[in-house]
Amino acid sequence: MDDLLERLRAGLPAEALITDPEVTVSYGRDMASFCDAGTPAVVVLPRTVEQVRHVMRTATALRVPVVPQGARTGLSGAANASDGWIVLSLTKMDRILEISPVDRIAVVEPGVINAVLSRAVEEHGLCYPPDPSSWEECTIGGNIGTASGGLCCVKYGVTAEYVLGLEVVLADGRLLTTGRRTAKGVAGYDLTRLFVGSEGSLGIVVKAVLGLRPKPPAQLVLGAEFPSAAAACAAVCSIMERGHTPSLLELMDRTTVRAVNTLGNMGLPDTTEALLLAAFDTADPAADLAAVGELCLAAGATEVVPADSAAESELLLQARRMALPALESLGTATMIDDVCVPRSRLGAMLDGTAAIAEKHGLTIGVCAHAGDGNTHPVVCFDQHDPDESRRARESFDEIMALGLELGGTITGEHGVGTLKKEWLARELGPVGLELQRGIKETFDPLGILNPGKLF
């Protein structure tokens, strides 16, 4: 420990090091339940690339594990540390280095907050589409590490589609540049995409070149109430089959709707079994909403409410934004799953999740990025009740098994971390797992970069 701190101090300012255990323990974990965490030996808050390189050279020399962190808003345990590790918090590297309206790119450090970047590029008539629900807190580096998604993915895609190039400090302190600033580029293997979603297990992202888009028109939102989740899912399939491109297509099941009603007095009828929200940011969003409204009615919607202004749209979206806080109020803890299935199997996913909730005697609410088939079943339970906690974990696993059975994936946007390690192995299969472990060994032969995550 003394040798570690002495070597770190040789290349870092005093304010970049935190060693007080009462403080370092607060950096030990992200927001995931059922994931072990310990107290780091030291928390390092670098401000420069060279300082990050010094940390990694020191870690390599002493064989000390390093866990990179952003805002720790993750939900898979990917940012969790163990006793004696170095936590490398990149939140102080928070500069927007460049915004180019001509090239439609932004160059940023990893600690830039997603919402800060979004507002900065908006001043240039541009937008950075990826919008995780924690966008007011989460960092671009964390978004890259977990390949984050968001509400707008149905039209604009996920983080991976906007990362054009990276600067990455490798495990031994070498600096690697990947990707490009150009609109096109296919030189060599796509190492940039390899780092996106790698959860800090291959290197430390210290700079990112991000693609931007022109700022779209303000969106209008439609709310449709359904007598069953199956009817709402049928409407989703119909909307996508007919070629519509909504900027948002979100679904909340009965449990979530009732929780939101209780928390926010939203005034939704008690008979609502599912609420579908659709939005368009096209040149004529009202016409698009009208067409989608007809499809919802044909699928069995009991009421369709299209907004005719940005203010009314915002009121409709409040219900979706309240979903997680509302469900969190139903127990002392929650486990938020992140299973993505083909859109055509969305109804089976919701019906199966409801059956799992009934089997285990638990409250499980589902909110979903329905246009992507990305469901977020939220298991609500009493963490002080050992039996209920056990049933919560079992139901969480059964939901992931259901997703795989339906041709889906165990994570659409939250990542694997430690929470879903065994399930990643099941999804990849033995050959896929062997190859991915080989990639990890190539980049990190000593196994010091965020060990125990993913594999």
Side-chain angles (χ1 to χ4, degrees):
M1 175 67 169
D2 290 341
D3 190 18
L4 171 63
L5 294 178
E6 182 179 348
R7 292 198 188 200
L8 288 174
R9 289 186 181 116
L12 295 167
E15 64 271 16
L17 294 171
I18 301 174
T19 57
D20 183 348
E22 293 187 2
V23 179
T24 58
V25 70
S26 67
Y27 285 83
R29 63 181 315 119
D30 64 16
M31 297 178 68
S33 301
F34 292 105
C35 295
D36 292 336
T39 302
V42 58
V43 175
V44 184
L45 295 99
R47 291 183 180 271
T48 69
V49 174
E50 185 51 42
Q51 289 174 4
V52 175
R53 297 183 70 186
H54 172 70
V55 171
M56 294 314 304
R57 287 191 290 259
T58 300
T60 292
L62 298 178
R63 307 300 198 262
V64 179
V66 177
V67 54
Q69 289 184 350
R72 305 194 307 281
T73 56
L75 294 164
S76 68
N80 287 13
S82 291
D83 291 343
W85 287 14
I86 297 171
V87 160
L88 187 58
S89 174
L90 299 156
T91 54
K92 299 295 185 182
M93 297 180 69
D94 59 357
R95 294 179 300 162
I96 298 174
L97 302 172
E98 179 185 352
I99 297 173
S100 172
V102 174
D103 295 325
R104 292 184 182 174
I105 62 169
V107 183
V108 305
E109 292 182 327
V112 172
I113 301 295
N114 185 296
V116 171
L117 174 63
S118 295
R119 294 182 183 119
V121 302
E122 188 174 9
E123 295 178 6
H124 298 268
L126 299 168
C127 78
Y128 177 66
D131 62 341
S133 59
S134 59
W135 78 304
E136 292 280 7
E137 305 169 78
C138 63
T139 63
I140 295 298
N143 294 168
I144 292 170
T146 57
S148 300
L151 299 184
C152 72
C153 294
V154 61
K155 180 173 182 178
Y156 293 105
V158 296
T159 296
E161 294 168 63
Y162 295 88
V163 182
L164 305 180
L166 297 170
E167 284 191 6
V168 181
V169 175
L170 300 177
D172 58 7
R174 289 179 295 164
L175 184 63
L176 170 69
T177 299
T178 76
R180 54 191 167 81
R181 294 171 54 101
T182 54
K184 297 190 295 185
V186 294
Y189 295 129
D190 190 351
L191 295 182
T192 302
R193 197 69 175 250
L194 182 62
F195 281 103
V196 180
S198 65
E199 302 183 16
S201 65
L202 302 179
I204 313 295
V205 173
V206 291
K207 185 186 295 185
V209 181
L210 305 174
L212 305 175
R213 290 197 178 195
K215 180 184 175 183
Q219 65 181 3
L220 287 182
V221 180
L222 170 148
E225 299 169 17
F226 289 86
S228 69
C233 292
V236 170
C237 292
S238 182
I239 290 166
M240 302 308 292
E241 183 180 19
R242 296 294 181 90
H244 293 287
T245 309
S247 55
L248 174 149
L249 192 57
E250 297 287 305
L251 185 150
M252 297 188 294
D253 74 348
R254 171 184 58 190
T255 300
T256 308
V257 168
R258 291 180 180 176
V260 167
N261 254 348
T262 300
L263 183 66
N265 298 314
M266 298 300 292
L268 297 169
D270 289 339
T271 54
T272 300
E273 294 292 308
L275 178 67
L276 186 66
L277 298 174
F280 287 87
D281 58 6
T282 53
D284 188 5
D288 288 311
L289 288 186
V292 165
E294 290 298 323
L295 293 175
C296 288
L297 290 170
T302 54
E303 187 170 1
V304 173
V305 182
D308 57 15
S309 69
E312 287 187 10
S313 295
E314 183 58 31
L315 285 173
L316 286 171
L317 289 178
Q318 280 184 10
R320 175 62 180 87
R321 294 196 182 105
M322 289 174 59
L324 182 55
L327 289 170
E328 287 176 338
S329 70
L330 301 181
T332 65
T334 57
M335 291 189 73
I336 306 173
D337 219 323
D338 172 41
V339 174
C340 192
V341 297
R343 297 184 190 100
S344 58
R345 309 306 304 276
L346 186 60
M349 185 68 204
L350 266 69
D351 287 344
T353 299
I356 291 169
E358 183 176 0
K359 170 186 173 183
H360 290 281
L362 294 168
T363 298
I364 303 178
V366 181
C367 49
H369 308 311
D372 304 321
N374 193 176
T375 68
H376 293 309
V378 180
V379 184
C380 309
F381 64 100
D382 182 356
Q383 63 181 334
H384 305 298
D385 182 333
D387 182 65
E388 192 162 311
S389 296
R390 174 189 58 78
R391 285 183 279 127
R393 180 68 213 219
E394 289 177 0
S395 68
F396 185 87
D397 287 343
E398 288 182 21
I399 289 168
M400 284 189 285
L402 173 64
L404 291 180
E405 290 169 11
L406 294 174
T409 175
I410 60 167
T411 176
E413 57 187 9
H414 291 172
V416 175
T418 60
L419 187 62
K420 299 186 175 185
K421 283 173 57 174
E422 66 173 279
W423 287 98
L424 178 65
R426 297 189 197 190
E427 180 171 334
L428 293 179
V431 176
L433 189 62
E434 179 184 353
L435 289 172
Q436 294 215 15
R437 283 175 170 163
I439 291 170
K440 164 70 170 172
E441 186 174 354
T442 297
F443 280 88
D444 181 23
L446 298 178
I448 63 171
L449 273 172
N450 215 7
K453 311 301 165 54
L454 293 168
F455 312 117

